[in-house]
Amino acid sequence: MTIAEALDVRTWRSSATLRTLKIGLFSTPLNSAITVATVALLAWIIPPLLRWGILDATWTGTSADCAAAPGACWAFVGAKFRFILFAFYPPALQWRPLLVMFILLALLVITAQPRFWRKRLLLAWLVVIAASWMLMSGTLTPPAVPSNQWGGLAVTLFVWSVCFGLATPLAILLALARRSRMGGLRTLAIVFIELMRGTPMVAILYVAMLILPMAIPNGQLIDKNVRAMIMITLFWSAYVAEVVRAGLQAIPPGQSEAATALGLGYWRTMQLVVLPQALRLVIPGMVNLAIGFLLATSLLAVIGIFDLLNAARSSATDPQWLGYYDEAYMFAALIYFVLCFGGSRYSLWLEKYLRRSERR
């Protein structure tokens, strides 16, 4: 291609882009009005936000320096960075939750790649969950740290990973039970799913704190975090079960009938024929649920667990840095956004990957 031809191609692409923008933004009088209103709203919001967040912000210094400046106090985030990530975990031992976060994130990256979807991956999750708990509690490397000192991003990632990981196989069993021909089993599954879906997660957490201890024989006390994770797992499994059930309904019944005709039993038919196809169909929906569940972990604050959001809020109650809630919440929101945006882009990539796999 000559230079002149390359310039012509670039000019044609620029013209096509302008035509697309013109059609999308000003194709009708209503679109034009919406575009103008949106631009006016952005022009009203963004300049003062930029002045507060960047131009007039205090990036380093003390709380006195921040009080003297009209903008945001990002020096507060620098001073409270470790507290927001680890809360009350002893500073000398904060390498433990840091290591747990790296291990969980690494395992999530591996799990996100379909070529690693093997039985060994399930075993790896069980090992990592058990090792993470023992590492955080100090079972492997004394001294011990009680769970009421855990907090921050490490607890958010740990609770989300454990609960969603345990809720998924339970949800598959619930979805199969809801489609079962055994009336009693189907009724129990329906009652459980509808009961959980009809109860707010805050109420579920209060049940974990107040009702669950009374239901344990001999008054044995279970750790507060464990109780919360048990109830959250049950709660999330009801939602995931409905997503899995949608995938099961999308599989034509002829496939199960053909597998039965070949001599396969119910569980072999589910394992080899139905579930692989059903789960493949609902994976994007499950990723969407996982993103929502990650945000829902912020409700742990109502029972006194210092998740990421609660740790950020508490960091602004330090007498030396009192009142910098805006900066604390914006920093927590940035972390949530990075995690959720990554999950959203992964969902789009996975949809394209699965579509290409079906064409092969």
Side-chain angles (χ1 to χ4, degrees):
M1 181 181 292
T2 63
I3 295 177
E5 290 174 342
L7 290 175
D8 290 341
V9 170
R10 181 176 296 179
T11 304
W12 178 83
R13 288 178 177 172
S14 301
S15 301
T17 303
L18 289 176
R19 281 197 301 273
T20 302
L21 287 176
K22 185 178 179 180
I23 293 172
L25 299 177
F26 301 102
S27 59
T28 65
L30 179 60
N31 276 354
S32 301
I34 293 174
T35 301
V36 171
T38 304
V39 171
L41 181 64
L42 293 176
W44 180 54
I45 293 176
I46 291 180
L49 188 61
L50 286 178
R51 281 198 299 274
W52 176 82
I54 297 178
L55 300 179
D56 296 336
T58 303
W59 299 90
T60 59
T62 63
S63 59
D65 299 327
C66 291
C73 179
W74 301 122
F76 159 79
V77 175
K80 290 296 178 181
F81 182 77
R82 292 166 68 99
F83 183 85
I84 294 174
L85 293 187
F86 308 116
F88 297 103
Y89 209 91
L93 302 174
Q94 286 177 354
W95 61 270
R96 294 181 186 172
L98 182 63
L99 182 59
V100 167
M101 285 194 296
F102 277 122
I103 293 175
L104 288 175
L105 289 174
L107 193 55
L108 284 173
V109 171
I110 293 174
T111 306
Q113 302 179 50
R115 61 195 174 102
F116 292 114
W117 292 350
R118 301 287 186 273
K119 291 181 180 178
R120 293 177 182 175
L121 188 61
L122 295 176
L123 181 61
W125 268 106
L126 294 176
V127 172
V128 166
I129 289 172
S132 298
W133 181 274
M134 289 190 287
L135 188 61
M136 293 274 286
S137 62
T139 305
L140 296 177
T141 54
V145 177
S147 62
N148 57 7
Q149 293 186 8
W150 303 4
L153 180 59
V155 164
T156 294
L157 288 177
F158 184 73
V159 170
W160 175 76
S161 303
V162 172
C163 294
F164 190 70
L166 296 178
T168 300
L170 181 58
I172 293 173
L173 295 177
L174 284 171
L176 293 176
R178 185 159 187 172
R179 289 169 49 87
S180 173
R181 294 177 181 176
M182 294 185 286
L185 183 62
R186 185 173 63 251
T187 303
L188 286 176
I190 292 173
V191 169
F192 175 82
I193 291 172
E194 298 303 330
L195 181 64
M196 285 295 174
R197 293 178 68 203
T199 306
M201 185 170 164
V202 173
I204 294 293
L205 292 173
Y206 280 125
V207 169
M209 292 299 103
L210 304 176
I211 307 299
L212 193 59
M214 292 188 291
I216 298 174
N218 302 324
Q220 294 180 358
L221 185 62
I222 299 180
D223 186 88
K224 179 173 69 174
N225 290 357
V226 175
R227 278 180 278 153
M229 286 192 288
I230 290 173
M231 294 306 298
I232 292 173
T233 299
L234 296 175
F235 182 75
W236 288 358
S237 66
Y239 285 86
V240 180
E242 288 300 279
V243 175
V244 174
R245 187 169 69 91
L248 293 174
Q249 289 179 335
I251 306 301
Q255 298 202 19
S256 299
E257 295 169 1
T260 304
L262 291 174
L264 295 180
Y266 174 79
W267 291 110
R268 296 292 288 173
T269 300
M270 290 295 121
Q271 178 186 356
L272 300 177
V273 179
V274 178
L275 278 177
Q277 299 180 73
L279 293 179
R280 182 184 293 263
L281 289 175
V282 300
I283 283 174
M286 291 180 66
V287 173
N288 189 41
L289 269 184
I291 293 173
F293 290 158
L294 176 64
L295 298 177
T297 55
S298 60
L299 293 175
L300 290 169
V302 301
I303 57 173
I305 294 178
F306 280 84
D307 70 305
L308 172 63
L309 192 63
N310 198 15
R313 183 190 61 80
S314 301
S315 66
T317 59
D318 186 339
Q320 293 183 353
W321 298 92
L322 191 62
Y324 294 104
Y325 290 101
D326 294 340
E327 291 82 353
Y329 284 133
M330 289 191 70
F331 180 64
L334 177 63
I335 295 176
Y336 278 118
F337 174 78
V338 169
L339 294 174
C340 294
F341 184 73
S344 175
R345 302 308 299 176
Y346 167 70
S347 177
L348 293 176
W349 173 83
L350 189 60
E351 287 184 33
K352 294 178 181 177
Y353 178 87
L354 295 177
R355 200 176 299 127
R356 286 198 304 268
S357 301
E358 290 176 357
R359 292 174 183 168
R360 293 172 185 169

